[in-house]
């Protein structure tokens, strides 16, 4: 505790001397790291710890070493953990959530509140169901549906047309006929008509 107080006093002194924004930001980052909280990684107690700032450190030698994360093709940060000769990759946001966030409802997924999968700070994470995660993605614009997609089969006007003219079993406006008209199979037309796809089009 005494050491923390000494460091905090030094940081305050440095902040008073800083002039450029870069210098100030470096000192502010040091100030944040001073209050960083570390907890054991579940299942790797004594070997790895994760912090509330989304950093992971290893204790495979006598000194703690901060692990450099890699970024997956989906944009998530992950680290590789080793135990008993077995290596496994783990997403950092899951490690933080399991260490710091209670999950009494046993929700299976962790959501990044600001939509940035690289921001794994504790305050940016929450446990969610898959449905809650999907709703958040659409609400924040992280995911697009229907005509918003670049590879969408139909425009919004075409979707409205299909829903407006469809008549069950009709030789001109039934599912088979509409599928032939737009060059898609019946399942695609069924999804449009029943709002299973393009549900953003009213």
């Amino acid at each position: 505790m005494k050491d923390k107080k000494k460091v905090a006093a030094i940081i305050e002194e440095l902040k008073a001397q800083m002039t450029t924004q870069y210098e100030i930001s470096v000192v502010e980052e040091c100030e944040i790291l001073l209050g960083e909280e570390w907890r054991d990684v579940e299942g790797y107690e004594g070997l790895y710890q994760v912090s509330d700032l989304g950093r992971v450190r290893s204790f495979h030698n006598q000194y703690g070493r901060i692990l450099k994360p890699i970024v997956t093709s989906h944009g998530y940060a992950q680290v590789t953990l080793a135990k008993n000769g077995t290596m496994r990759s783990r997403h950092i946001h899951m490690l933080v959530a399991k260490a710091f966030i209670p999950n009494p409802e046993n929700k299976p997924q962790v959501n990044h509140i600001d939509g940035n999968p690289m921001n794994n700070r504790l305050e940016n994470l929450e446990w969610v169901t898959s449905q809650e995660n999907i709703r958040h993605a659409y609400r924040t614009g992280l995911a697009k549906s229907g005509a918003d997609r670049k590879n969408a089969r139909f425009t919004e006007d075409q979707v409205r047309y299909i829903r407006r003219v469809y008549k069950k079993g009709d030789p001109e406006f039934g599912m088979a006929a509409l599928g032939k008209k737009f060059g898609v199979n019946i399942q695609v037309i069924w999804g449009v008509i029943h709002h299973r796809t393009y549900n953003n089009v009213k």
Side-chain angles (χ1 to χ4, degrees):
M1 182 60 71
K2 289 182 179 179
D3 288 341
K4 276 195 172 185
K5 287 182 177 179
K6 284 182 180 179
V7 175
I10 293 171
I11 287 175
E12 286 302 317
E13 195 173 313
L14 285 172
K15 286 172 72 176
Q17 298 174 17
M18 297 299 98
T19 56
T20 68
Q21 185 56 50
Y22 172 75
E23 291 173 330
I24 292 171
S25 64
V26 169
V27 174
E28 286 177 343
E29 185 65 22
C30 290
E31 187 175 29
I32 291 171
L33 295 179
L34 178 65
E36 190 171 13
E37 181 180 351
W38 293 89
R39 294 186 183 178
D40 285 333
V41 171
E42 182 181 293
Y44 292 85
E45 291 80 1
L47 297 175
Y48 297 93
Q49 287 186 332
V50 62
S51 83
D52 56 350
L53 299 183
R55 302 200 302 165
V56 180
R57 64 185 179 187
S58 165
F59 287 97
H60 278 283
N61 53 40
Q62 65 183 95
Y63 306 105
R65 178 176 65 88
I66 302 296
L67 300 184
K68 184 177 180 180
I70 63 171
V71 182
T72 70
S73 58
H74 297 290
Y76 293 94
Q78 68 177 23
V79 290
T80 299
L81 308 181
K83 181 179 180 182
N84 298 328
T86 301
M87 303 182 72
R88 296 183 183 278
S89 294
R90 292 287 185 266
H91 286 110
I92 293 178
H93 63 281
M94 292 297 294
L95 299 181
V96 175
K98 287 182 178 180
F100 290 94
I101 307 175
N103 188 17
E105 298 178 40
N106 199 30
K107 294 184 178 182
Q109 298 180 8
V110 176
N111 179 48
H112 291 81
I113 297 170
D114 69 355
N116 177 7
M118 292 299 291
N119 181 3
N120 293 307
R121 293 179 177 238
L122 173 59
E123 65 270 16
N124 190 48
L125 304 176
E126 61 180 351
W127 287 104
V128 292
T129 63
S130 58
Q131 291 84 357
E132 288 170 337
N133 210 358
I134 291 170
R135 283 199 298 269
H136 177 267
Y138 282 110
R139 188 171 63 249
T140 58
L142 297 172
K144 298 183 182 298
S145 64
D148 290 334
R149 294 180 179 174
K150 292 181 180 179
N151 62 345
R153 288 188 173 97
F154 308 114
T155 65
E156 291 190 9
D157 286 341
Q158 288 173 330
V159 170
R160 294 189 185 99
Y161 170 83
I162 290 170
R163 289 172 179 164
R164 184 177 69 252
V165 303
Y166 166 69
K167 294 180 182 178
K168 184 177 180 179
D170 189 271
E172 186 176 359
F173 298 113
M175 286 189 190
L178 289 170
K180 186 176 181 179
K181 176 181 178 65
F182 287 98
V184 297
N185 61 40
I186 292 177
Q187 286 79 7
V188 173
I189 298 297
W190 183 93
V192 172
I193 292 168
H194 291 89
H195 294 263
R196 296 299 177 89
T197 57
Y198 297 89
N199 54 13
N200 62 316
V201 179
K202 307 300 181 183

